Amino acid sequence: MVLVPVASVGLAIAGFALAAIVIASLIYGAIVQYRRAQEAIAEKRRLQGEADTREEAKRKRDLAREVEFSQIGFTVERTRVREERPALVRAAAGLIGDVGPRWEDTSLLVPKRWLLSRPLRLDPDGAEVVVDAVDDPGLPVAQALREALVEWRPRTSLGPRHLHISDAIVDLEEPPAGRYVNRDCYRVLGLEMSPDRVDLQLGRTSYFAALDEAVPLECDLVRAERAEQVEAEIGAWDGFVPLRDAVPDPFDLGARTTVASVSTLVLRRAADGSAEFWLHRRRTVGMVSGQTHVVPTGVFQPAIDDLPDVFARDAAPWWTVVRESAEELLGEWHIDDRAVAPDVYETDPALAGLEAARRAGPARPWLVGFGLDPLSYWLELLTVLVIDEADFDRIIGQPPRENGEGTLVGQTRPDGTFGGLPFTDEGIREALAIADLAPAADALLRLAWQHRAALV
């Protein structure tokens, strides 16, 4: 039996106790440090969370301001275009310079190569205005224009930009039902002219695709003015994209989505060679609303969408003249719904009268020129329809003073009926003096008077 000294046992116990105390101290210190680290991390996270919350709130406020600025700006621009269009048209025409000369004193953009030495017959089966229509959209618009248009569109309430201008119009303006309807349209891909013939190359597009370009372009001058004001107040505005810089040659029709209107001056011709015409103060229309135009005027498009036979049939501009005449002069506002039948222009009462008169001779349609609206770069086919008095009265009768798109401008005849303005030098000058006369109407009146010997 080995005896261990009591002193040695005491020392061992004391050593173990001291070691335990040291270890416990170390563990406690580690725990304290861990807790402090956790508290520091938690505080850092809290501060970061508060910073993130402030940043998110700031981002939301900035986005809300940007959305509000974008939407209010769009509404202001559209309103100013409607209310100040004649002045803006003149300003836009003045910016074109040598690229797009104006014809005489009109603000319509008419390069010399688009001027006709004489009127050409607009017969759908004729040899003077020849149409080649392909059911194909054609090449995409120029890259610079596509990129500029994306940046131009106003934002939705959630922040992203509207996909189409038509969406923004419906969202922010709440137009009357049926005002903006997406329809097939003929896209003008090419235009070739010679002294005795015009060739139109047509593809397929949509009305909304055309609005995506035309509406921003017509608002471009107003937005440029806004950009100057914003820059003067708060510095440069990144939201301004000068769209006209992205369209170096507006007469390169295939480089953008060129859709046309067929604008027609109707002349009621008396046996003595005198004539009268009506104008139209347009209210409820998508483009050139609030201006005085010729009547009828309508977008160059087939009567029915998504039917290849109708697309090919209606590619002759004459059929647009017939349908628009039925709408604006006869009040047949649902004529397109009946236009599926292949022989509709020979059988429908509202259409057949004009077509029969054209074939027989009392109604004579003419093409007198082309031009671009300087504000929107919208293409205008300038046409004249001369109808002998007796056939006019039989087919059309007395045009209504009011129709679904505005008010007709004429004068009261001695017998109390609603007649047109006299197709005389004085009558033309009075019409040209109308302050809100559309550029296409201005040029068309001048061209018709210039060619009056051939027309009446």
Side-chain angles (χ1 to χ4, degrees), residues 154-455:
R155 294 187 178 276
T156 68
S157 57
L158 298 178
R161 297 187 183 278
H162 285 87
L163 292 177
H164 300 285
I165 288 298
S166 54
D167 298 332
I169 292 173
V170 172
D171 183 25
L172 302 177
E173 298 181 7
E174 299 182 359
R179 173 79 65 83
Y180 290 92
V181 178
N182 199 19
R183 292 279 311 278
D184 282 346
C185 293
Y186 295 106
R187 178 183 177 186
V188 182
L189 303 174
L191 172 60
E192 297 179 5
M193 304 181 67
S194 62
D196 298 314
R197 173 168 165 161
V198 166
D199 287 88
L200 277 171
Q201 292 83 46
L202 305 177
R204 185 185 190 131
T205 187
S206 70
Y207 183 57
F208 283 0
L211 289 185
D212 278 346
E213 297 177 28
V215 170
L217 279 167
E218 70 176 1
C219 293
D220 193 46
L221 296 187
V222 178
R223 181 162 293 197
E225 183 179 309
R226 287 182 62 221
E228 291 179 0
Q229 295 172 348
V230 171
E231 185 171 0
E233 294 175 4
I234 63 175
W237 174 26
D238 293 336
F240 175 62
V241 180
L243 292 180
R244 276 167 169 70
D245 291 352
V247 187
D249 182 5
F251 302 100
D252 183 4
L253 303 180
R256 52 192 181 84
T257 307
T258 303
V259 169
S261 288
V262 182
S263 298
T264 306
L265 177 69
V266 173
L267 296 177
R268 177 180 178 267
R269 181 188 182 279
D272 62 2
S274 63
E276 61 181 357
F277 64 94
W278 289 260
L279 296 175
H280 191 197
R281 291 196 175 99
R282 294 158 63 87
R283 294 190 307 268
T284 57
V285 292
M287 297 295 291
V288 298
S289 182
Q291 286 197 287
T292 300
H293 213 321
V294 293
V295 59
T297 291
V299 177
F300 186 22
Q301 59 190 178
I304 303 294
D305 298 335
D306 301 322
L307 291 179
D309 291 344
V310 174
F311 179 86
R313 179 197 69 188
D314 289 350
W318 165 245
W319 302 125
T320 295
V321 174
V322 173
R323 297 198 313 274
E324 292 297 329
S325 297
E327 287 188 355
E328 298 182 12
L329 297 176
L330 294 176
E332 295 282 345
W333 293 103
H334 299 288
I335 195 70
D336 287 354
D337 296 340
R338 310 197 296 265
V340 177
D343 60 347
V344 65
Y345 297 107
E346 290 79 35
T347 59
D348 189 282
L351 304 175
L354 268 182
E355 170 57 5
R358 180 195 67 81
R359 290 183 175 182
R364 298 171 293 281
W366 301 92
L367 175 70
V368 295
F370 301 87
L372 292 182
D373 183 288
L375 204 58
S376 63
Y377 291 163
W378 195 274
L379 181 64
E380 297 280 355
L381 276 63
L382 307 176
T383 68
V384 177
L385 175 59
V386 183
I387 310 177
D388 291 341
E389 183 179 70
D391 290 86
F392 184 99
D393 295 344
R394 175 179 57 83
I395 298 168
I396 295 175
Q398 182 176 294
R401 292 179 183 268
E402 299 281 338
N403 64 26
E405 294 183 346
T407 303
L408 266 64
V409 178
Q411 62 183 12
T412 302
R413 300 184 182 120
D415 62 0
T417 57
F418 180 51
L421 303 171
F423 188 60
T424 61
D425 182 63
E426 182 180 359
I428 292 294
R429 283 191 283 107
E430 289 182 1
L432 293 175
I434 295 175
D436 62 356
L437 191 66
D442 185 306
L444 183 47
L445 288 168
R446 296 174 191 271
L447 285 167
W449 185 245
Q450 174 182 301
H451 296 299
R452 61 189 179 277
L455 296 174

